Amino acid sequence: MKLRQLAINKGGILVSIYNVLPGKKCNCFCGDCNAPLVAKNKGKQKGLPLSDGQKAAHFAHKNECSYTKESDLHLLAKEVLKSSMKLGLPEYSLSGSSLIKTVKPVQFTGVKLECFNETGEIKPDAILTKGDVVLFVEFYKTNVVDFEKRKKIERLGIPTIEIDINSIEPIADGSPNFEGMQQFLEEEINGKEWVFNKKLSDLYQIQFNLLDEQKEKQIKKQEKQQELTEELRIFREAQKREDEFQYNNWFQNLNKKELRAKGFPLSIFSCF
């Protein structure tokens, strides 16, 4: 199990192991089970080397808990999203038959963390709302949205975004990396993919139709080119036959006496 380095203090604020007092004096709680934590950080500073056998600074409690570094990142991402309610969403448009991906910052007005949807079928990391618009958010570090969950989301028809947060360090300069995570969530175009988006599905269908139409035109163009090539071959063969026919007529109509009189030996025509 990876060491936990982020926790919630008694004021409900996300803090780093390097920002709190050692032991029980840290007054911090687990982000998963809400159990009290103990800070194992005495004499340890971010970036300084550890003694032999010494663990990095971390939070611990007596109870078993599923908390890992993945939970550090999830906790950080959810705290940032709860505070800002702003997310840069991937937006697609068609240029010819090519899809162009850009990022569109959207300011939401409501957020719920780790809550089931209205039907009680899905529990995303976050549910963002803006008027009648509902968006499910899934943060991904090691486990992507599985097939069964995808099918449920598609059946519900709720736009759902999956965000890969692996590129973000949970701690920067000894403190929770709020700034880095916020910048990533609001501005970064990479690491964000739609699990389901009806508009994008429709756009994919338009793109498919355009590509299919282009392919059909290319096939017809190739068939037309083959027809023209065949017509040219037939024409050239006919022209060749016509030239041979005219030449034979010309030769047969030669006045051999006149040729002999002009000094042309008839032997030059013997090959015919």
Side-chain angles (χ1 to χ4, degrees), residues 128-189:
L128 292 170
T129 55
K130 182 180 180 180
D132 295 332
V133 176
V134 178
L135 175 71
F136 291 167
V137 181
E138 293 284 359
F139 294 114
Y140 150 64
K141 187 177 187 302
T142 56
N143 299 314
V144 298
V145 176
D146 61 34
F147 177 77
E148 291 300 324
K149 194 170 187 178
R150 284 178 181 270
K151 297 305 290 183
K152 287 183 180 180
I153 290 170
E154 290 176 9
R155 181 171 53 78
L156 291 171
I158 303 297
T160 303
I161 190 76
E162 185 174 62
I163 303 176
D164 183 350
I165 51 179
N166 279 284
S167 62
I168 306 300
E169 285 296 326
I171 295 177
D173 298 325
S175 299
N177 191 10
F178 293 115
E179 184 178 350
M181 182 62 79
Q182 182 171 358
Q183 183 177 9
F184 173 80
L185 293 180
E186 295 182 7
E187 302 176 11
E188 183 59 51
I189 190 173

Side-chain angles (χ1 to χ4, degrees), residues 85-93 100-108 128 130 133 135 161 163 183-190 192 194 197 199:
M85 290 191 291
K86 189 175 183 181
L87 191 58
L89 297 175
E91 186 173 58
Y92 291 84
S93 60
I100 307 299
K101 182 180 180 182
T102 56
V103 63
K104 179 183 179 181
V106 179
Q107 181 66 61
F108 292 87
L128 292 170
K130 182 180 180 180
V133 176
L135 175 71
I161 190 76
I163 303 176
Q183 183 177 9
F184 173 80
L185 293 180
E186 295 182 7
E187 302 176 11
E188 183 59 51
I189 190 173
N190 297 314
K192 300 173 182 176
W194 290 104
N197 184 317
K199 291 182 179 180

Side-chain angles (χ1 to χ4, degrees), residues 4 9 74 96 175 263-264:
R4 72 201 70 181
N9 68 12
H74 277 75
S175 299
F264 290 96

